[in-house]
């Protein structure tokens, strides 16, 4: 059975990794002023966006998830003939309509794929499963990395499904933002009032940065730091501590809203890199997607890993 994986463009893994392992990217539409384009995790386009588009215009940007019709078209025109079973792993359903749109599309896809596969000379049924990662950005990548490993080792789709669902409930995603006003504006667009204006203003004035957690679909502030550098140190040290205690998969994933050279220069990065090396944990890195950056701001840091349930302490 040919098993495939699809992810939306907010999943922070390098495009060359996704292409090498045949992980299909579901684009997100980015709108700025009167223009729009598809975020397909193209590394050249992403870095060009950072260098040429950042500034006042990025605050006016917005993202639009794939619609039910776009999901249906992609699957029926391509995926139902390339694979026999597809897992569609989406960003947390509490932050985007991608999951719901994919679920709605799946019902139509399973109704109409039969003649398409027959015309392609394919026997057997096509199946798909939409899974909510319950996290985002660097965190969303953890289940993808494990799914790729299992598929390439020949695991059956039931084993892959059980593992991905388990990881969705046990993956911790964290973020330290730089621009609180940008983050607040993005939250307001989505009806989220967890960061009031006065708190964003006070945090900016005092240079206090929240450490945010996305876990099982819920977003919460789990720590605060005086300045972005202190926040990144706290997050790197915390991730290194979890590595030493043991993870559920041998992966820690990072994404950064800018060039990776700046990520490597952050205080605390070396501590995490050393811990991963000593414990045979793969440290993955990616430039944050345009979709993520539009929503959380330039220069943000996100970290993801899978761990036994615990209360983060910063």
């Amino acid at each position: 059975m040919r098993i495939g994986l699809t992810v939306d463009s907010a999943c922070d893994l390098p495009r060359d990794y996704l292409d090498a392992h045949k992980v299909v990217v579901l684009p997100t539409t980015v709108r700025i002023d009167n223009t729009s384009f598809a975020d397909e995790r193209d590394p050249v386009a992403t870095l060009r966006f950072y260098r040429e588009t950042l500034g006042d215009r990025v605050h006016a940007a917005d993202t639009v998830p794939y619609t039910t019709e776009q999901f249906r078209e992609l699957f029926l025109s391509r995926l139902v003939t390339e694979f026999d079973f597809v897992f569609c792993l989406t960003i947390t359903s509490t932050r985007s309509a991608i999951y719901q749109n994919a679920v709605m599309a799946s019902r139509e896809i399973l109704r109409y794929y039969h003649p398409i596969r027959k015309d392609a000379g394919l026997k057997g049924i096509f199946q798909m499963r939409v899974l909510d990662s319950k996290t985002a950005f660097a965190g969303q990548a953890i289940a993808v990395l494990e799914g790729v490993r299992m598929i390439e080792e020949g695991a059956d789709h039931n084993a892959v499904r059980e593992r991905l669902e388990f990881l969705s409930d046990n993956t911790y995603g964290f973020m330290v933002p730089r621009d609180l006003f940008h983050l607040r504006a993005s939250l307001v667009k989505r009806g989220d009032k967890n960061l009031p204006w006065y708190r964003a203003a006070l945090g900016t004035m005092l240079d206090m940065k929240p450490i945010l957690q996305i876990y099982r679909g819920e977003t919460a502030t789990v720590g605060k730091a005086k300045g972005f550098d202190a926040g990144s140190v706290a997050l790197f040290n915390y991730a290194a501590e979890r590595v030493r205690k043991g993870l559920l998969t041998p992966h820690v994933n990072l994404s950064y809203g800018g060039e990776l050279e700046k990520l490597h220069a952050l205080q605390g990065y070396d501590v995490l890199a050393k811990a991963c090396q000593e414990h045979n944990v793969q440290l993955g890195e990616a430039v944050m997607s345009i979709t993520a950056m539009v929503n959380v701001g330039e220069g943000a840091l996100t970290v993801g890993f899978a761990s036994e349930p615990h209360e983060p302490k910063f």
Side-chain angles (χ1 to χ4, degrees):
M1 175 177 282
R2 301 170 301 166
I3 302 176
L5 272 171
T6 70
V7 295
D8 52 81
S9 59
C11 177
D12 281 332
L13 282 169
R15 183 63 196 241
D16 57 358
Y17 172 88
L18 297 170
D19 289 343
H21 296 279
K22 300 180 180 179
V23 179
V24 178
V25 177
L26 306 174
T28 302
T29 301
V30 178
R31 298 186 303 200
I32 303 178
D33 299 333
N34 295 320
T35 63
S36 63
F37 60 93
D39 176 13
E40 300 180 289
R41 291 210 61 84
D42 180 300
V44 175
T46 299
L47 288 175
R48 184 187 304 120
F49 180 83
Y50 286 129
R51 293 164 181 159
E52 299 178 5
T53 313
L54 294 177
D56 293 338
R57 289 185 71 221
V58 77
H59 290 273
D62 198 6
T63 56
V64 182
Y66 241 37
T67 65
T68 298
E69 291 74 20
Q70 287 173 310
F71 273 113
R72 184 181 61 222
E73 174 62 24
L74 173 64
F75 273 77
L76 292 178
S77 65
R78 175 182 172 188
L79 298 182
V80 299
T81 56
E82 291 186 12
F83 302 103
D84 304 310
F85 194 113
V86 172
F87 289 100
C88 182
L89 187 66
T90 75
I91 189 173
T92 177
S93 61
T94 58
R95 292 290 168 187
S96 172
I98 291 176
Y99 172 79
Q100 186 60 41
N101 291 352
V103 169
M104 294 175 63
S106 68
R107 297 165 185 161
E108 297 184 29
I109 292 163
L110 296 178
R111 287 174 57 194
Y112 296 114
Y113 77 82
H114 300 277
I116 297 172
R117 282 176 66 89
K118 183 178 179 180
D119 290 345
L122 296 173
K123 296 181 180 180
I125 64 173
F126 173 81
Q127 301 175 75
M128 65 178 293
R129 187 67 176 261
V130 183
L131 299 176
D132 183 350
S133 73
K134 301 180 183 178
T135 185
F137 313 145
Q140 189 179 348
I142 299 301
V144 177
L145 294 167
E146 183 70 355
V148 165
R149 180 192 67 79
M150 294 183 71
I151 291 169
E152 293 181 350
E153 289 181 357
D156 68 40
H157 63 85
N158 287 320
V160 175
R161 174 187 57 77
E162 291 176 2
R163 183 64 171 164
L164 295 185
E165 289 177 340
F166 172 76
L167 291 177
S168 293
D169 280 333
N170 291 283
T171 295
Y172 289 79
F174 297 92
M175 180 179 68
V176 179
R178 284 188 187 269
D179 187 340
L180 295 186
F181 281 116
H182 183 111
L183 180 61
R184 178 184 180 275
S186 176
L187 292 174
V188 168
K189 288 179 183 177
R190 286 156 178 74
D192 190 329
K193 300 180 181 180
N194 285 330
L195 184 60
W197 178 88
Y198 70 86
R199 189 175 297 171
L202 183 62
T204 300
M205 182 176 65
L206 299 177
D207 197 23
M208 295 298 297
K209 305 298 183 186
I211 299 174
L212 303 173
Q213 173 187 271
I214 306 178
Y215 175 65
R216 296 185 178 179
E218 298 297 325
T219 304
T221 299
V222 292
K224 296 179 182 179
K226 178 66 173 178
F228 179 85
D229 288 342
S232 65
V233 168
L235 188 49
F236 284 136
N237 286 340
Y238 167 72
E241 177 188 349
R242 299 311 305 180
V243 168
R244 299 184 192 104
K245 290 184 176 180
L247 301 176
L248 296 175
T249 71
H251 299 284
V252 173
N253 202 54
L254 309 177
S255 70
Y256 181 72
E259 292 86 350
L260 292 183
E261 290 79 4
K262 295 181 180 179
L263 168 66
H264 299 157
L266 292 177
Q267 298 179 44
Y269 172 87
D270 290 343
V271 173
L272 176 57
K274 181 179 179 182
C276 289
Q277 183 178 25
E278 291 175 346
H279 291 80
N280 296 316
V281 170
Q282 180 180 340
L283 181 61
E285 303 170 353
V287 174
M288 185 178 288
S289 69
I290 297 174
T291 299
M293 196 280 295
V294 164
N295 284 281
V296 303
E298 178 192 8
L301 168 68
T302 78
V303 178
F305 54 80
S307 175
E308 296 288 351
H310 63 280
E311 290 292 333
K313 295 181 180 179
F314 291 94

